[in-house]
Amino acid sequence: MKILIINGPNLNLLGKREPTIYGNLTLEQIELKISDSAVQLDMEVDFIQSNHEGVLIDSIQQASEKGFSGIILNAAAYSHTSIALHDAIKSTNTPVIEVHLSNIYAREDFRHHSYISAVSIGQISGFGLDSYLLALRAIKKYLNYE
Ligand code: DQA
């Protein structure tokens, strides 16, 4: 079971960026911890981070042909703005779990709406690194039950 972990804009700055909200781990450290967890769960993971909406759309469109059975997506600020990402998820058969490090509902009003949620199988928000680790378990269960 191969899962693609997609991180969107500004998440390359994790560790330095607003650590009181996003924590001290860098994206590389988060990815290493996800990889460790994937080994234990007998899953394969691959990662992409981009600050560009089109690159995120391309990776969602291409996930299936590249052999991924599921996607864990932190679209960051594009979650709140991107109808194009919404449409890309809707256009693919690859199931997507939406994740956020922070609890988007406890923050500014403009973060309370996500264009990703309605086209995802579920959303995990507010648990920092654990949002990704929980999503990994959730997508494994989801795919096994399918
Ligand atoms: C985020 C929450 C978004 O509102 C924000 O724009 C981000 C990160 C999170 O992981 O908590 O860049 O997706």
Side-chain angles (χ1 to χ4, degrees):
M1 190 183 291
K2 216 169 105 181
I3 305 299
L4 180 62
I5 320 284
I6 304 178
N7 280 295
N10 300 307
L11 294 172
N12 55 313
L13 300 178
L14 286 175
K16 294 183 281 209
R17 176 191 180 203
E18 300 182 87
T20 51
I21 296 174
Y22 299 117
N24 293 309
L25 295 177
T26 63
L27 183 59
E28 198 185 351
Q29 289 169 328
I30 288 177
E31 289 179 348
L32 275 173
K33 286 181 189 289
I34 297 171
S35 293
D36 286 349
S37 181
V39 170
Q40 282 167 22
L41 292 167
D42 198 21
M43 299 166 83
E44 269 182 64
V45 282
D46 204 354
F47 301 96
I48 176 162
Q49 187 279 327
S50 179
N51 294 326
H52 305 280
E53 193 174 12
V55 174
L56 303 177
I57 291 165
D58 289 344
S59 20
I60 291 167
Q61 285 185 6
Q62 292 160 11
S64 172
E65 70 203 42
K66 290 190 173 165
F68 293 102
S69 335
I71 295 173
I72 294 172
L73 171 65
N74 185 347
Y78 286 138
S79 315
H80 316 301
T81 62
S82 180
I83 297 171
L85 272 175
H86 171 105
D87 285 349
I89 296 169
K90 223 175 169 176
S91 310
T92 177
N93 290 327
T94 313
V96 173
I97 296 187
E98 175 183 10
V99 300
H100 298 282
L101 292 150
S102 63
N103 177 357
I104 56 173
Y105 303 100
R107 301 184 61 196
E108 302 95 322
D109 285 354
F110 63 81
R111 295 185 205 274
H112 295 181
H113 177 261
S114 164
Y115 283 101
I116 310 301
S117 313
V119 284
S120 298
I121 55 175
Q123 184 203 63
I124 303 172
S125 168
F127 298 98
L129 163 69
D130 284 337
S131 291
Y132 294 91
L133 303 184
L134 290 164
L136 206 55
R137 288 175 182 274
I139 206 147
K140 182 177 181 183
K141 278 207 164 185
Y142 177 87
L143 291 168
N144 282 335
Y145 287 139
E146 248 187 354

